[in-house]
């Protein structure tokens, strides 16, 4: 019998020594009566000799001790097994335990405590991740391999009108399918995600109240430990406002294109004399202002650049007085022809009056306009007009001014006045010059 008892005790010690759990005997008053040795170094907190004979209050704060004593009394009275979780903070360690507490004797309870620190860390991490997903502004849901929703954040309800309770276990197509995408669309979607690739696209879905909305969705396949696709995570964003803005912009662009076409048709119907200078066959002053005011209004509204080039013929009065008006007219025609070769189709070139010419350059800054003006000046100066077998060289003085947006010019005339000042400065500098207006 003694040998059997010794063998039984040895076996029991071996069992305790190999256990992953801690075994504690705690009496009604909270004293540790027995602490069998467990796997060495398993908890790395306290050894049995540091615990036996101590009180719960030696390791836990008063409030926690009262809770433990309440559980002990309940177990002793009811003889039921209860489970609790608690944290022990000692010697720089703070492990979490899950204890199963059962009746052992009239005054003692048996505690089997398991270290759940890793589980607690995982739970905390999962809670943090879940909170982040729940707080996300975008709609997020997780579906199984068959597309059935297993989890969705609260934004799902805000977007679709369906509660998460209504969504769980359903395929999104059962809830929010709009009928706006054909079968091929969904076939392509499944072909991509079942191949383990990320799918991203825009589509139209329907809310619970029947209203339609545009959404941008990304679906990412998730693989299990065996490398097989087990779930899909979908991130959805309502882009209805953006699509509406895009549609309004498209309509605006279409409207601008239509207005431009109507303008061109209207211009084509006007009588040539109503818009053309009879001598030079370029736009006349009246028609210039008609076009310039339209372009000016558009430029101010959309804050685009616009530049005016104003120039006249150097010594033109002397040409008329010396050689007559016929040669003067030839000079003006010559200048108009040479200038027309340098301007773009979008530019508005007109005879401003007398020997003055004007060019409106839409969406063009002063520096770019300066290059155009210089080409005009040089091309005119490099040619000549014949008079009785004599070569008459013609030069131009040119002024340039750009529209101002802050504070904005009130009219195109304000830009022209600045260009006229620059033209005057070109005259003062010896003629045959191009000058950009600079505010003093």
């Amino acid at each position: 019998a003694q040998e059997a008892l010794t063998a039984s005790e040895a076996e029991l010690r071996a069992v305790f020594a190999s256990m992953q759990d801690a075994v504690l005997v705690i009496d009604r008053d909270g004293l540790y009566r027995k602490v069998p040795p467990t796997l060495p170094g398993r908890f790395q907190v306290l050894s049995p000799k540091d615990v036996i004979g101590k009180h719960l209050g030696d390791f836990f704060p008063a409030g926690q001790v009262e809770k433990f004593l309440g559980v002990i009394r309940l177990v002793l009275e009811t003889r039921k097994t209860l489970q609790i979780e608690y944290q022990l903070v000692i010697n720089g360690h703070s492990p979490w335990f899950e204890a199963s507490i059962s009746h052992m004797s009239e005054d003692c309870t048996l505690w089997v405590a398991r270290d759940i620190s890793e589980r607690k860390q995982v739970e905390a991490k999962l809670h943090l991740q879940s909170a982040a997903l729940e707080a996300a502004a975008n709609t997020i849901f997780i579906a199984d391999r068959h597309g059935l929703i297993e989890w969705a954040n609260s934004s799902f309800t805000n977007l679709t009108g369906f509660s998460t309770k209504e969504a769980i276990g359903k395929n999104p197509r059962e809830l929010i399918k709009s009928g706006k995408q054909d079968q091929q669309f969904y076939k392509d979607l499944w072909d991509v995600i079942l191949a383990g690739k990320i799918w991203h696209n825009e589509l139209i879905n329907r809310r619970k109240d029947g209203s339609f909305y545009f959404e941008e969705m990304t679906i990412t396949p998730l693989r299990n430990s065996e490398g097989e696709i087990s779930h899909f995570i979908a991130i959805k964003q309502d882009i209805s406002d953006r699509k509406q803005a895009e549609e309004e912009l498209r309509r605006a662009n279409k409207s601008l294109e239509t207005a431009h076409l109507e303008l061109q048709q209207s211009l084509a119907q006007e009588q040539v004399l109503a818009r053309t200078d009879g001598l030079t066959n370029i736009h006349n002053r009246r028609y210039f202002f008609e076009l310039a005011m339209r372009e000016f209004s558009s430029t101010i509204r959309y804050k685009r650049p616009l530049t005016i080039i104003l120039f006249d013929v150097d010594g033109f009065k002397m040409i008329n007085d010396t050689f007559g008006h016929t040669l003067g007219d030839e000079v003006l025609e010559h200048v108009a022809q040479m200038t027309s070769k340098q301007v773009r189709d979008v530019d508005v070139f007109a005879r401003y009056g007398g020997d003055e010419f004007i060019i409106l350059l839409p969406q063009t800054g002063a520096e770019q306009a300066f290059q155009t003006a210089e080409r005009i000046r040089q091309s005119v100066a490099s040619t000549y007009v014949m008079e009785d077998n004599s070569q008459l060289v013609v030069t131009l003085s040119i002024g340039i001014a750009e529209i101002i947006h802050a504070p904005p010019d009130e009219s195109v005339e304000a830009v022209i006045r600045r260009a006229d000042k620059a033209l005057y400065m070109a005259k003062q500098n010896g003629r045959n010059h191009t000058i950009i207006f600079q505010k003093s």
Side-chain angles (χ1 to χ4, degrees):
Q2 183 63 40
E3 290 176 356
L5 179 59
T6 301
S8 176
E9 289 177 350
E11 183 179 356
L12 186 59
R13 282 195 297 271
V15 169
F16 279 123
S18 63
M19 286 180 63
Q20 298 293 316
D21 298 337
V23 180
L24 310 166
V25 177
I26 304 176
D27 67 13
R28 179 186 299 273
D29 298 323
L31 290 175
Y32 290 89
R33 293 290 187 87
K34 294 181 181 180
V35 181
T38 56
L39 189 63
R42 175 68 181 89
F43 300 106
Q44 299 178 353
V45 179
L46 294 171
S47 64
K49 65 180 182 179
D50 297 324
V51 178
I52 295 176
K54 298 291 183 66
H55 189 269
L56 287 168
D58 295 325
F59 306 107
F60 298 96
Q64 187 69 51
V65 171
E66 286 301 319
K67 291 181 181 179
F68 285 156
L69 292 176
V71 172
I72 290 173
R73 287 192 293 270
L74 183 61
V75 169
L76 292 176
E77 291 171 3
T78 64
R79 300 199 174 191
K80 293 182 179 180
T81 298
L82 301 179
Q83 288 186 332
I84 63 171
E85 291 183 2
Y86 61 91
Q87 187 176 23
L88 176 61
V89 181
I90 191 169
N91 295 338
H93 298 278
S94 54
W96 275 91
F97 292 93
E98 181 182 63
S100 176
I101 307 171
S102 58
H103 179 273
M104 184 175 179
S105 67
E106 290 302 319
D107 293 318
C108 293
T109 55
L110 180 67
W111 293 50
V112 180
R114 172 167 297 181
D115 188 342
I116 59 171
S117 300
E118 291 185 5
R119 192 188 80 189
K120 280 293 187 178
Q121 292 175 359
V122 172
E123 288 177 352
K125 185 176 181 180
L126 290 176
H127 176 75
L128 181 62
Q129 293 173 344
S130 177
L133 292 174
E134 184 64 30
N138 288 349
T139 296
I140 303 173
F141 69 83
I142 299 174
D144 64 16
R145 182 179 173 83
H146 305 291
L148 301 181
I149 298 175
E150 293 187 356
W151 178 89
N153 65 354
S154 58
S155 181
F156 184 91
T157 302
N158 299 333
L159 177 64
T160 68
F162 291 96
S163 67
T164 53
K165 183 177 180 181
E166 292 174 304
I168 300 302
K170 298 290 197 316
N171 189 299
R173 293 179 62 185
E174 297 180 51
L175 300 174
I176 57 179
K177 183 180 179 181
S178 65
K180 301 295 185 179
Q181 290 78 221
D182 57 21
Q183 293 298 322
Q184 187 62 43
F185 179 90
Y186 292 104
K187 180 181 181 302
D188 293 342
L189 183 158
W190 279 101
D191 288 345
V192 170
I193 61 177
L194 289 178
K197 300 177 181 178
I198 297 175
W199 180 89
H200 179 85
N201 210 333
E202 296 177 0
L203 62 159
I204 301 174
N205 274 329
R206 183 173 55 189
R207 296 185 179 88
K208 185 177 181 179
D209 62 8
S211 62
F212 294 101
Y213 65 95
F214 285 91
E215 72 174 24
E216 182 178 53
M217 180 164 66
T218 300
I219 302 177
T220 303
L222 303 177
R223 297 182 183 274
N224 57 23
S225 57
E226 286 76 31
E228 300 174 343
I229 296 175
S230 60
H231 291 82
F232 303 100
I233 182 168
I235 302 176
K236 303 154 72 74
Q237 180 181 4
D238 189 346
I239 58 171
S240 300
D241 291 342
R242 190 186 80 190
K243 298 298 287 187
Q244 181 179 356
E246 290 175 354
E247 178 60 22
E248 291 176 356
L249 180 60
R250 187 195 65 80
R251 287 198 298 264
N253 289 336
K254 184 66 176 178
S255 177
L256 288 174
E257 292 173 2
T258 301
H260 181 71
L261 178 59
E262 292 175 352
L263 175 61
Q264 294 301 317
Q265 293 173 344
S266 176
L267 294 177
Q269 295 173 357
E270 290 185 11
Q271 296 181 357
V272 175
L273 293 179
R275 62 185 183 185
T276 304
D277 178 65
L279 175 64
T280 60
N281 287 322
I282 62 175
H283 295 319
N284 58 24
R285 180 189 180 106
R286 184 191 64 80
Y287 189 58
F288 170 82
F289 275 102
E290 183 178 335
L291 297 179
M293 285 187 291
R294 295 177 186 174
E295 188 63 40
F296 177 83
S297 298
S298 176
T299 298
I300 288 294
R301 183 183 307 116
Y302 297 105
K303 295 185 178 180
R304 297 191 295 245
L306 178 146
T307 301
I308 294 290
I309 296 177
L310 186 65
F311 62 91
D312 66 8
V313 179
D314 293 330
F316 184 72
K317 184 176 184 303
M318 183 186 68
I319 294 174
N320 271 338
D321 294 343
T322 305
F323 302 104
H325 290 282
T326 299
L327 183 63
D329 290 346
E330 291 181 16
V331 169
L332 296 179
E333 291 179 79
H334 172 72
V335 170
Q337 291 171 4
M338 299 302 295
T339 302
S340 296
K341 296 177 182 179
Q342 303 298 328
V343 297
R344 306 167 301 183
D345 292 340
V346 295
D347 300 332
V348 182
F349 175 42
R351 184 180 178 189
Y352 195 61
D355 64 323
E356 284 189 314
F357 296 86
I358 192 168
I359 307 172
L360 181 147
L361 296 88
Q363 300 192 43
T364 305
E367 294 298 330
Q368 184 180 351
F370 180 83
Q371 298 175 12
T372 300
E374 279 294 280
R375 288 197 300 270
I376 294 171
R377 186 184 63 78
Q378 293 170 8
S379 66
V380 171
S382 63
T383 58
Y384 50 83
V385 177
M386 296 299 299
E387 168 59 23
D388 293 335
N389 297 322
S390 299
Q391 297 178 353
L392 177 62
V393 177
V394 179
T395 61
L396 306 176
S397 293
I398 305 176
I400 298 174
E402 186 175 350
I403 195 171
I404 297 175
H405 287 290
D409 284 320
E410 295 182 356
S411 66
V412 70
E413 286 86 348
V415 188
I416 295 174
R417 284 194 295 269
R418 293 197 297 274
D420 189 50
K421 291 180 180 179
L423 170 59
Y424 177 78
M425 294 174 64
K427 293 288 189 184
Q428 293 293 105
N429 286 352
R431 303 182 180 183
N432 195 22
H433 279 76
T434 301
I435 290 183
I436 298 175
F437 176 83
Q438 300 290 339
K439 187 176 180 180
S440 57

